[in-house]
Structure formats: structure tokens, C-alpha cells
Amino acid sequence: MRRTFPLAASAAALLLGVPSAFAQSGGVEKAVGGYSFEEAAKEAPTTKDFHSADGHLTFAIVTHTAGNGFFDPVYVGATAAGNLIGAKILLLGSESPTDDPAREIEILNQIVQDPTIDGLIMTTPQVGAYNDIVKAAEAKGIPVATTNSFDGTILDRSGISHTGQDASAAAIAGEALVKCLADKGIEKGSIVLPSSTAMGNIEVNNRVTSAFNAIVKGLKDAGKLEAFKVDAGPENTGIDTNPNDPVNGIVTLFESRGDVVGAFAGNNVFTPALAKAVAQTGKAGKICAYGFDLGPAQQDALKSGDLTGALGQQPFLQGFYPVMQLYLQIDRGIAAANLDTRAQLVTQETVGKVGKRFEN
């Protein structure tokens, strides 16, 4: 019997006989300048003795709140990067579960005097408070990187790398909130954005403003702005709410308005509080409640439906990249470069995918 083979099968059979070298054609063995890539990729012999001259690099990473779990993946990311380059990473931060820039600065003032430190990574939530730290580090020849919160006024800003999420990413939550209202068929009511400028975190203020602007724009574009009252306080940085008792503050806000159909919280203090307030007032599934960060409390609230959605800022990168950036500055002389970690909107449908590799 005569057999015939389809054209695709014949082509596949022919390809199987092609030498593997054919698939590697175009390979580059040396640089145009004549040097070996293998040799050029090696670490400089002086790198391990940078500054402290003790045979290994030591970087310190200091955050403004190590007590609530948000920065856990930041520390994991920094440790992972340190393992890759053979550097020791000191994981430091305020023990408080809420933002505590004063304690962070206290730790920074201590660590910058440590003779074993070769590089310093810090969060900068309190604008204008870190210039003396930068001065002290630079005077000792210690490179600095900032992560998470951004201080645009910090000394030598253009020479210091920053890894973090731009506050404008909060607009994603604002847009999602407007879509949620439409999906639920909600045609009117109050949308509130509780926060506290007393915490001194300019990034949170900017997040609330960005979310507010996105909500207003979305409702306006839909021709429904007049039917809703969107309230983010007199400066659009948040309705002033007590950060020491945020749950009761938000419950009181809900009860005083009487017609709340949407809410947004801009940080790890007010987002879990918003979820608890939604649960206590029986509004789960009835309003559109969005928040920030994806710590354990936020993930639980997403699973239960007390939060409609929350924005993650990919904090693993906020630990990993600054370590690598400092290493590149030391080993390669590469100028400080910034990384925007952007935003990840997580809902009840997608929360199960979060945290698989200590990333939230």
C-alpha cells in the first residue's frame, strides 16, 4: 500500500534531521571590542572590599513600619537579591503596625554610623526628613537608594535611585470603583475616601487625590456625576479620620452619610479598617469598597467580600531592585536608575493567585 504524508509532517521530519548547530547560527562569541563576555561579566576584584573592606558587601534596608506585614515581601526580595550577589542584608524597621517615620529615622541615624555598612536602602514617607541621613551617608562614601514611598525633595534626588509605585496608580482603583457601581446598577449615593494627613505620608495623600480624580472623571464621562457625592475632604486628600481608631471612624462616616455606595482607602491602616467597617455595617457586596496593599488582612477581606478590590504595588520588587541597583553602582559604576513597580488590581476572583512566592 502506498502511503502519503501530510506536508506539515514531511516538513517536521526534515527539520528533525537538521544539525543543532543550524539552530545556533548567529551566535556571538566575543564583543566587538575583542573582549570575552564571560570575563567581562565577572565581578570586579575590588567590589567585596568596597567601603567597609571586610571581604563582603553589607546593605541595610530600613522601613517605616515592619509590624503589619506589608514590608515582609520587601524584606524577602532584598534577601533574594542579596543571596544572588553574595551580600549580607540587614532587615530593619519600625516595630509599629502603623506608619512610624520618627522611629525609622531613629534607626537610620544609628545605622548610618555603622562602619560595616556598604549601602543604605530606606523608605521616605515624611517629605524633607531624610536630608541629614543622606548627607551623613554620602560623607562616608555609602551609596543610598530609596524604596516604596517617594520624597521628591530629598538631597541629591537625581543621584539616588527610587523603586516604588507612583501614586497615580491609585487611579486604577478609582476607575474600577466606577465600573463596579455600573455593574451593580447603582445610580446614586455617596462615595467616601477616608484618610488622615496627620500621618505625614505624602504618598497616601497623593493616592487619595488620584483615586478621587479618577472617580470624578469616570462618573462625569458616564454622565452620572450629578447623581453622586464624591467626598475626599476639603483638599481632596481624604476625609479626616482618626488613624488610631479607623474602624469606628469609618463606621461613623457611613452612618452619618446614610447613603454610602462606594469607598476608597489609600493605605494599610485604613484599608483593613474599611473592610471591617463594611462587615460591621452589613454592606458587604452592597457597596463598592476598594483599598490599597495586599497584606493578610486585605486578602482575607477580598475572600470574604468585605473588600471589592485592592491594589498591590509588587513590594517584592521594592526590596529586590534597590539591592541590585546599589550593587550595580558599586560594581559597575552604573548611575542610579528608577523603577516604577506599577499596580496590580486584585479582586475576590483573583486573590487566590496572590502570595504564592511571598509576593503581595
Side-chain angles (χ1 to χ4, degrees):
M1 179 183 292
R2 179 181 160 195
R3 297 181 179 180
T4 60
F5 294 89
L7 181 59
S10 300
L14 288 172
L15 286 173
L16 287 173
V18 176
S20 59
F22 180 81
Q24 298 174 12
S25 64
V28 180
E29 296 180 358
K30 288 187 177 181
V32 174
Y35 59 82
S36 160
F37 290 123
E38 185 70 26
E39 188 65 27
K42 292 180 179 178
E43 182 179 271
T46 58
T47 293
K48 288 291 193 293
D49 283 324
F50 175 80
H51 186 252
S52 61
D54 56 6
H56 66 271
L57 293 174
T58 300
F59 297 156
I61 179 167
V62 188
T63 74
H64 56 277
T65 169
N68 62 31
F70 169 81
F71 282 105
D72 287 353
V74 175
Y75 295 136
V76 173
T79 302
N83 289 343
L84 288 176
I85 61 174
K88 180 180 180 180
I89 309 297
L90 302 181
L91 310 177
L92 306 168
S94 166
E95 303 84 347
S96 173
T98 60
D99 291 359
D100 190 358
R103 173 62 177 143
E104 180 201 13
I105 291 170
E106 181 182 344
I107 297 169
L108 285 166
N109 279 317
Q110 294 172 351
I111 202 68
V112 78
Q113 303 302 324
D114 188 334
T116 69
I117 297 300
D118 299 296
L120 178 61
I121 301 161
M122 60 185 181
T123 60
T124 55
Q126 189 171 325
V127 172
Y130 305 91
N131 288 346
D132 288 344
I133 304 295
V134 174
K135 283 181 184 178
E138 291 186 345
K140 295 174 180 294
I142 300 171
V144 176
T146 62
T147 193
N148 185 253
S149 47
F150 181 73
D151 178 359
T153 69
I154 199 169
L155 182 70
D156 197 22
R157 176 74 275 175
S158 61
I160 295 175
S161 71
H162 180 73
T163 303
Q165 179 191 64
D166 189 88
S168 62
I172 295 172
E175 294 164 359
L177 193 153
V178 172
K179 183 178 183 301
C180 172
L181 293 172
D183 291 344
K184 289 181 178 296
I186 298 173
E187 298 292 333
K188 61 180 180 179
S190 293
I191 301 169
V192 295
L193 292 82
S195 192
S196 173
T197 57
M199 299 180 70
N201 193 325
I202 189 66
E203 280 292 296
V204 175
N205 299 346
N206 290 340
R207 287 174 191 168
V208 174
T209 300
S210 294
F212 171 83
N213 289 337
I215 293 168
V216 169
K217 182 180 183 302
L219 291 173
K220 185 176 181 180
D221 290 348
K224 297 181 178 181
L225 182 58
E226 296 301 319
F228 293 88
K229 182 179 180 181
V230 187
D231 189 354
E235 303 296 328
N236 295 335
T237 54
I239 301 170
D240 189 42
T241 307
N242 184 359
N244 297 314
D245 191 11
V247 177
N248 284 332
I250 297 174
V251 168
T252 299
L253 181 61
F254 283 0
E255 292 174 346
S256 67
R257 300 304 168 92
D259 65 343
V260 173
V261 295
F264 170 82
N267 67 359
N268 199 40
V269 174
F270 286 100
T271 299
L274 171 60
K276 290 180 180 179
V278 167
Q280 287 185 22
T281 55
K283 293 182 179 294
K286 299 177 183 177
I287 72 170
C288 299
Y290 287 80
F292 235 85
D293 299 335
L294 294 169
Q298 286 90 329
Q299 291 183 45
D300 288 344
L302 288 167
K303 292 172 185 175
S304 68
D306 294 330
L307 274 183
T308 312
L311 289 182
Q313 45 188 312
Q314 307 199 93
F316 184 96
L317 287 174
Q318 295 180 11
F320 185 90
Y321 186 78
V323 170
M324 299 306 293
Q325 176 63 45
L326 290 180
Y327 177 75
L328 292 174
Q329 287 178 246
I330 293 168
D331 186 61
R332 297 280 163 179
I334 293 175
N338 300 332
L339 176 70
D340 183 357
T341 58
R342 305 191 73 176
Q344 176 186 19
L345 177 63
V346 177
T347 64
Q348 189 176 49
E349 291 72 30
T350 60
V351 67
K353 300 177 182 178
V354 174
K356 297 297 186 184
R357 288 285 293 160
F358 305 99
E359 156 61 24
N360 63 9

